Amino acid sequence: MTQVAEPVSAGLVPGADYKLLVARAVRVLNSAGVMHMSGHLAVRDAGDPARIWINSRKASRSTLTAADIVPVDLGTGKRIGTGDEPPSELPIHLAVFRRRPDVAAIVHTHPEHVIALSIVDIPLMPVHLAAGFLPERAPVWDDPNIITTLERGELVADHLGAENVLVIRGHGVVVVGGTFEEAVARTVLVAENARIQVTASNLGTPRTLKGDELARAAKQMCQPIVMKKHYHYHEETARSLGGLAGIE
Amino acid sequence: MTQVAEPVSAGLVPGADYKLLVARAVRVLNSAGVMHMSGHLAVRDAGDPARIWINSRKASRSTLTAADIVPVDLGTGKRIGTGDEPPSELPIHLAVFRRRPDVAAIVHTHPEHVIALSIVDIPLMPVHLAAGFLPERAPVWDDPNIITTLERGELVADHLGAENVLVIRGHGVVVVGGTFEEAVARTVLVAENARIQVTASNLGTPRTLKGDELARAAKQMCQPIVMKKHYHYHEETARSLGGLAGIE
Amino acid sequence: MTQVAEPVSAGLVPGADYKLLVARAVRVLNSAGVMHMSGHLAVRDAGDPARIWINSRKASRSTLTAADIVPVDLGTGKRIGTGDEPPSELPIHLAVFRRRPDVAAIVHTHPEHVIALSIVDIPLMPVHLAAGFLPERAPVWDDPNIITTLERGELVADHLGAENVLVIRGHGVVVVGGTFEEAVARTVLVAENARIQVTASNLGTPRTLKGDELARAAKQMCQPIVMKKHYHYHEETARSLGGLAGIE
Amino acid sequence: MTQVAEPVSAGLVPGADYKLLVARAVRVLNSAGVMHMSGHLAVRDAGDPARIWINSRKASRSTLTAADIVPVDLGTGKRIGTGDEPPSELPIHLAVFRRRPDVAAIVHTHPEHVIALSIVDIPLMPVHLAAGFLPERAPVWDDPNIITTLERGELVADHLGAENVLVIRGHGVVVVGGTFEEAVARTVLVAENARIQVTASNLGTPRTLKGDELARAAKQMCQPIVMKKHYHYHEETARSLGGLAGIE
């Protein structure tokens, strides 16, 4: 049987081991090819709404461990206790978590095909049934520079609005989820959807998902149980490839 | 010598270990990059025409084991005994197996380049000699949503007709075979053929295989013994990469 | 030190262990991504001009061993002794070896980007300095079907002429070398050159290597010592990735 | 914790183990997919300005060890002591190190997408925020042949000028850094930036980074501490994939 300890419940109950949970999710994203040298993932603490957990600025996304996960006070924006610093773009997470109580996890990363679309002013649009969580056109923030101030973090939250994905031109994406599994699974799908959109756009004008078709895709393909299944696949795949070695 | 226990005969004789056979074939497809988080493979039981075997809805395609394979009654469409559920798109398999006595195995998966072609209304066409099992233009079902009802399963069977491959626009493919090896080998070739077709279509109008050339390719390159050889390569490759670890 | 037993000399002296040498070279090509499920490599026996050695039809290119290499009589075209059959396209090797005494090794394989170029009638042209062994336009045989008769093998040799590479439309390539290392290294470079040519051709009209530039590239980048170095890299890489495990 | 012995300081202090440091950096570049069979990396000795260290001509970039690193006298251009030869394109390093006291490390390699852009006369331009170390248009030397003489090495230095990257048409790139980590991290980013630029250029006219946006990207994303972080990621990733096995 492939059933492993259910990471999902662990992520939502108070008192979960957030350090291990976030470290594992970062490694999973890295194994899936969407984390690279400077992505980050933050998860809101279900037992303490004033706390989030994020991978440190400096730890390698390919080999970090539970000890490399940093607790941050959502109110003050400061690291809790001593240890490594959070990433410099922490303000993305602060602003979005404060604005969006429905969000339990946020990923910021830099998928190549999303960047490519953004710099030729083609919006990210759903072309893959499994990416039905995208709106007909994903919002774009037309400012490539990094987000290291709260003021710029607020602009991210403004442009994201109530959507699940924000494209930042020439820079990358912000993806949110109601669970960490959802945020991870959506991030992988955003990269895959962008690749398909690029391939199709080279050949013609893609028939993207719209209206009823998109609504059905969102309802059938993107509910939480499917996102958990996707996350489970990515975690198992990372594990089988050695991508979780030494994580504890 | 590389000769391993012949999986082919095992697949066709009554009493074969279908759980192991299907689990291995799913892992092989996953290692070959064409299964991903939500593909599925069903095989008809040679010893009991009322039974098919399919990977469960939830088990990770990268690490599933024989215990994750579900027997289903082809007549009632219900899981036999207790255990995990089959995939929600089981009706694809029910409808096609009932309609096509020549079919022993069915794969449903979501290759990126097939999806890309489908959303710019370019039919999948044979451009690679080894993909001579394709017709000059593969049939397309112009409805991207998932197939969770028998009514929609019947529409898949209608659009597939007597062909080996059906493209579902914005969604993926259904590939059938007279043996499970054939279904697996064809699925890998469909993805490869689609990549070549995309690459060529960016540069001009591809000279696809037609008429006598296609007939010769089908006859010479696609007979069962060649498909067994292809499957053997994919299985050996998966094994050498660790993709079959812990499968029993 | 990375120096391993020099495979090169072994390949050229009478009495070399051709079974091991050919098995290893096939595995190296497979690890480099250019052999896949049905490529083949034949090497002429330096100690017996009437003999060539080739990987068997059925053995998986990812896991074959020395026992899977078949000796063939160049005069009769028959397998020497008992054992597995050579590939069905053996006539390629028979015809080219008979016609070209300068050739010590021949690879037939099916690189995706070469096939893509061939079906839009763009000749393979040198765009990468390291591929200076190509002529300004590689010859093409405009017939995609397989080569299982001596008559068709002779047509391959006719179209190849005195060149090192022949493109077969919609099918693949034949690459020859004065040593097996040269044939292997050139095959990898043909695939790489085709990828670059495709990428560039999507963006404009590539400035391919011609005239004096090409002559200098051929002289400086493609002499036997460089090809040995390339082969050594590919072999070491395959070994470090586990691609040679269990070969003896 | 993922913190390993800090390679950075080691690279800058007199008496560092340059053989191990250069071997490791070459393996890291190879694991990242940008070294291939014939790239080279040279590092200036912080304790002896008359000395540089470079990987040997013949050692496989995938498996070389500290013993394969060659010291060279920057004044005479000769190997110091006995042992393997440096690469034939050593004059690139001699000329650039002599001309640029700010440069501590130089990489010469052959990324496919850089070559593709160069042969359709599209300059490499920054499209990825992390590649802000590029000028608005990277300089190009319009001569693909190899650089085996001091005269040609001087032409490389002339065309590079005060920039960090020089594209050599139909051949590859020269990338320099103030530390070896910077040279390695920039090389990976040059390849990634070129891929994104190619993808975007197929779809439209990319909005590249310019003026204030580029200046901010350079200042925020490309300072030495970020380059160290990138290098750390690449080294940890190589290690976790087995790419550093047996290096000492």
Side-chain angles (χ1 to χ4, degrees):
Chain A
M1 293 284 285
T2 63
Q3 294 318 109
V4 294
E6 285 283 328
V8 176
S9 325
L12 297 177
V13 295
D17 183 348
Y18 281 96
K19 290 201 162 201
L20 183 55
L21 182 154
V22 173
R24 195 163 47 203
V26 170
R27 293 266 205 114
V28 167
L29 283 163
N30 188 68
S31 272
V34 289
M35 204 55 168
H36 220 30
M37 55 234 178
S38 53
H40 29 95
L41 164 72
V43 174
R44 193 197 295 268
D45 193 317
D48 178 357
R51 186 176 301 199
I52 63 173
W53 301 82
I54 191 165
N55 56 303
S56 82
R57 183 175 188 165
K58 74 177 186 184
S60 167
R61 282 66 173 152
S62 52
T63 54
L64 52 64
T65 71
D68 296 309
I69 306 307
V70 182
V72 172
D73 185 295
L74 192 53
T76 64
K78 299 293 182 189
R79 182 191 58 204
I80 298 169
T82 57
D84 287 342
E85 290 295 324
S88 60
E89 287 184 310
L90 177 65
I92 293 172
H93 303 277
L94 298 176
V96 175
F97 276 126
R98 289 173 186 166
R99 191 87 66 91
R100 293 275 301 267
D102 61 311
V103 167
I106 302 170
V107 177
H108 174 53
T109 183
H110 318 86
E112 290 189 21
H113 292 79
V114 174
I115 297 176
L117 288 167
S118 77
I119 63 176
V120 289
D121 295 314
I122 298 178
L124 180 70
M125 294 183 279
V127 292
H128 185 332
L129 195 61
F133 56 87
L134 287 171
E136 292 190 6
R137 290 164 169 252
V140 179
W141 186 25
D142 187 15
D143 179 341
N145 284 109
I146 59 172
I147 299 112
T148 53
T149 65
L150 271 173
E151 185 182 13
R152 288 180 63 77
E154 291 294 332
L155 287 166
V156 167
D158 289 346
H159 284 85
L160 176 65
E163 298 296 351
N164 301 313
V165 176
L166 172 67
V167 173
I168 307 176
R169 190 252 299 171
H171 178 162
V173 285
V174 174
V175 180
V176 304
T179 62
F180 75 90
E181 294 96 336
E182 192 167 61
V184 168
R186 284 175 174 170
T187 302
V188 177
L189 283 165
V190 160
E192 185 177 355
N193 189 88
R195 284 197 302 272
I196 297 174
Q197 189 179 348
V198 162
T199 302
S201 298
N202 278 323
L203 296 171
T205 302
R207 293 167 62 185
T208 62
L209 294 168
K210 293 180 186 171
D212 285 355
E213 276 181 5
L214 179 57
R216 276 195 297 270
K219 190 178 165 193
Q220 297 171 325
M221 302 293 290
C222 305
Q223 68 268 54
I225 196 171
V226 176
M227 293 295 112
K228 283 187 188 184
K229 178 181 123 175
H230 286 197
Y231 180 82
H232 177 64
Y233 171 78
H234 297 308
E235 184 179 303
E236 285 290 292
T237 302
R239 190 191 318 280
S240 71
L241 296 173
L244 303 185
I247 196 166
E248 304 190 46
Chain B
M1 294 284 285
T2 64
Q3 294 318 108
V4 294
E6 286 283 330
V8 177
S9 324
L12 296 177
V13 293
D17 184 347
Y18 281 97
K19 290 201 162 202
L20 183 55
L21 181 155
V22 173
R24 195 164 46 204
V26 170
R27 294 264 205 115
V28 167
L29 283 163
N30 188 68
S31 272
V34 290
M35 204 55 168
H36 219 30
M37 55 235 177
S38 53
H40 28 96
L41 165 72
V43 174
R44 193 197 294 268
D45 193 316
D48 178 357
R51 185 176 301 200
I52 63 173
W53 301 82
I54 191 166
N55 55 303
S56 82
R57 183 176 188 165
K58 75 177 186 184
S60 167
R61 281 65 173 154
S62 53
T63 54
L64 53 64
T65 70
D68 296 310
I69 306 306
V70 181
V72 172
D73 186 296
L74 193 53
T76 66
K78 300 294 182 190
R79 182 191 57 204
I80 299 170
T82 57
D84 287 341
E85 289 295 324
S88 60
E89 288 185 308
L90 177 66
I92 293 172
H93 303 277
L94 298 176
V96 175
F97 275 127
R98 289 171 186 168
R99 191 88 66 91
R100 293 274 301 266
D102 61 311
V103 167
I106 302 171
V107 177
H108 173 54
T109 184
H110 318 86
E112 290 189 21
H113 292 79
V114 174
I115 297 176
L117 288 167
S118 76
I119 63 175
V120 289
D121 296 314
I122 298 178
L124 180 70
M125 295 183 279
V127 293
H128 185 333
L129 195 61
F133 56 85
L134 288 171
E136 292 190 8
R137 289 164 169 252
V140 180
W141 186 26
D142 187 15
D143 179 341
N145 284 109
I146 59 171
I147 299 111
T148 54
T149 64
L150 270 174
E151 185 182 13
R152 289 179 63 77
E154 291 295 332
L155 287 166
V156 166
D158 289 346
H159 284 86
L160 176 64
E163 298 297 350
N164 301 314
V165 177
L166 172 68
V167 173
I168 307 176
R169 190 252 300 169
H171 179 161
V173 285
V174 174
V175 180
V176 305
T179 63
F180 75 90
E181 294 96 337
E182 192 167 62
V184 168
R186 284 175 173 170
T187 302
V188 177
L189 284 165
V190 160
E192 184 177 356
N193 189 88
R195 285 197 301 273
I196 297 174
Q197 188 180 348
V198 162
T199 302
S201 298
N202 278 323
L203 296 171
T205 302
R207 292 167 63 185
T208 61
L209 294 168
K210 294 179 186 171
D212 285 354
E213 276 181 5
L214 180 56
R216 275 195 298 269
K219 189 177 166 193
Q220 296 172 326
M221 301 292 290
C222 305
Q223 68 268 55
I225 195 173
V226 176
M227 293 295 113
K228 283 187 188 185
K229 178 181 122 174
H230 286 198
Y231 180 82
H232 177 64
Y233 171 78
H234 297 308
E235 184 179 304
E236 284 289 293
T237 302
R239 189 190 318 279
S240 70
L241 295 172
L244 302 185
I247 197 167
E248 304 190 47
Chain C
M1 294 285 285
T2 63
Q3 294 318 108
V4 294
E6 286 282 330
V8 177
S9 323
L12 297 177
V13 294
D17 184 347
Y18 280 96
K19 290 200 162 202
L20 182 56
L21 182 154
V22 173
R24 195 163 46 203
V26 170
R27 293 265 206 115
V28 167
L29 282 163
N30 188 67
S31 273
V34 290
M35 205 55 168
H36 219 31
M37 56 235 177
S38 52
H40 29 96
L41 165 72
V43 175
R44 192 197 295 268
D45 192 317
D48 178 357
R51 185 176 303 200
I52 63 172
W53 301 81
I54 191 165
N55 57 302
S56 82
R57 182 176 188 166
K58 75 177 186 184
S60 167
R61 280 68 173 154
S62 52
T63 54
L64 53 63
T65 71
D68 296 310
I69 306 307
V70 181
V72 172
D73 185 296
L74 192 54
T76 65
K78 300 293 182 190
R79 183 191 57 204
I80 298 170
T82 58
D84 287 340
E85 290 295 323
S88 60
E89 288 185 309
L90 176 66
I92 294 172
H93 303 277
L94 298 176
V96 175
F97 275 127
R98 289 172 186 168
R99 191 87 66 91
R100 292 276 300 267
D102 61 311
V103 167
I106 302 170
V107 177
H108 173 52
T109 182
H110 318 86
E112 290 188 21
H113 292 80
V114 174
I115 296 176
L117 288 167
S118 76
I119 63 175
V120 289
D121 296 314
I122 298 178
L124 180 70
M125 295 183 278
V127 292
H128 186 332
L129 195 61
F133 57 85
L134 287 171
E136 292 190 7
R137 290 165 168 250
V140 180
W141 186 26
D142 188 14
D143 179 342
N145 284 108
I146 59 171
I147 299 109
T148 53
T149 63
L150 270 174
E151 184 183 13
R152 288 179 63 77
E154 292 294 333
L155 287 166
V156 167
D158 289 346
H159 285 85
L160 176 64
E163 297 297 350
N164 300 314
V165 177
L166 172 68
V167 173
I168 307 176
R169 191 251 301 168
H171 179 161
V173 284
V174 174
V175 180
V176 305
T179 63
F180 75 90
E181 294 96 336
E182 192 167 61
V184 168
R186 283 175 174 170
T187 301
V188 177
L189 284 165
V190 160
E192 185 177 356
N193 188 88
R195 284 197 302 274
I196 298 174
Q197 188 180 349
V198 162
T199 302
S201 298
N202 278 322
L203 296 171
T205 302
R207 293 168 61 186
T208 61
L209 294 169
K210 294 179 186 171
D212 285 353
E213 276 182 4
L214 179 57
R216 275 196 298 270
K219 188 177 166 194
Q220 296 172 325
M221 302 293 290
C222 305
Q223 68 267 56
I225 195 172
V226 176
M227 294 295 113
K228 284 187 188 185
K229 178 182 122 175
H230 286 198
Y231 180 82
H232 177 64
Y233 171 79
H234 298 308
E235 184 179 304
E236 285 290 291
T237 302
R239 189 190 318 279
S240 70
L241 295 172
L244 302 185
I247 197 167
E248 303 189 48
Chain D
M1 294 282 286
T2 63
Q3 295 318 109
V4 294
E6 285 282 330
V8 176
S9 325
L12 297 177
V13 295
D17 184 347
Y18 281 97
K19 290 201 162 201
L20 182 56
L21 182 155
V22 173
R24 195 163 47 203
V26 170
R27 292 265 206 116
V28 167
L29 283 163
N30 189 67
S31 273
V34 289
M35 205 55 169
H36 219 30
M37 55 234 179
S38 52
H40 30 95
L41 165 71
V43 174
R44 192 197 294 269
D45 193 317
D48 178 357
R51 185 177 302 200
I52 63 173
W53 301 82
I54 191 165
N55 56 301
S56 82
R57 182 176 188 165
K58 74 177 184 184
S60 167
R61 281 66 173 155
S62 53
T63 54
L64 53 64
T65 71
D68 296 310
I69 306 307
V70 181
V72 171
D73 185 295
L74 192 54
T76 65
K78 300 294 182 190
R79 182 191 57 204
I80 298 169
T82 57
D84 286 342
E85 289 296 324
S88 60
E89 287 185 310
L90 176 66
I92 294 173
H93 303 276
L94 298 176
V96 175
F97 275 126
R98 289 172 186 167
R99 190 86 67 92
R100 292 274 301 267
D102 61 311
V103 167
I106 302 170
V107 177
H108 173 52
T109 183
H110 318 86
E112 290 188 21
H113 292 79
V114 174
I115 296 176
L117 288 168
S118 77
I119 63 176
V120 289
D121 296 314
I122 298 178
L124 180 70
M125 294 182 279
V127 292
H128 185 333
L129 196 60
F133 56 85
L134 288 171
E136 292 189 7
R137 290 165 168 250
V140 180
W141 185 26
D142 187 15
D143 179 342
N145 285 107
I146 60 171
I147 299 111
T148 53
T149 64
L150 271 174
E151 184 181 15
R152 288 179 63 76
E154 291 295 331
L155 287 166
V156 167
D158 288 347
H159 285 85
L160 176 65
E163 298 297 350
N164 300 314
V165 177
L166 172 67
V167 174
I168 306 176
R169 191 252 299 169
H171 178 161
V173 285
V174 175
V175 180
V176 305
T179 63
F180 75 90
E181 294 96 336
E182 193 168 61
V184 167
R186 284 174 173 170
T187 301
V188 176
L189 283 165
V190 160
E192 185 177 356
N193 188 89
R195 284 196 303 272
I196 298 174
Q197 188 180 349
V198 162
T199 302
S201 298
N202 278 323
L203 296 172
T205 302
R207 293 168 60 186
T208 61
L209 294 168
K210 294 179 186 171
D212 285 354
E213 277 182 4
L214 179 56
R216 276 196 297 271
K219 189 177 164 193
Q220 297 172 325
M221 302 293 290
C222 305
Q223 69 268 54
I225 195 171
V226 176
M227 294 295 113
K228 283 187 188 185
K229 178 181 122 176
H230 286 197
Y231 180 82
H232 178 64
Y233 171 79
H234 297 307
E235 184 179 304
E236 285 290 293
T237 302
R239 189 191 318 279
S240 71
L241 296 173
L244 303 185
I247 197 167
E248 303 190 47

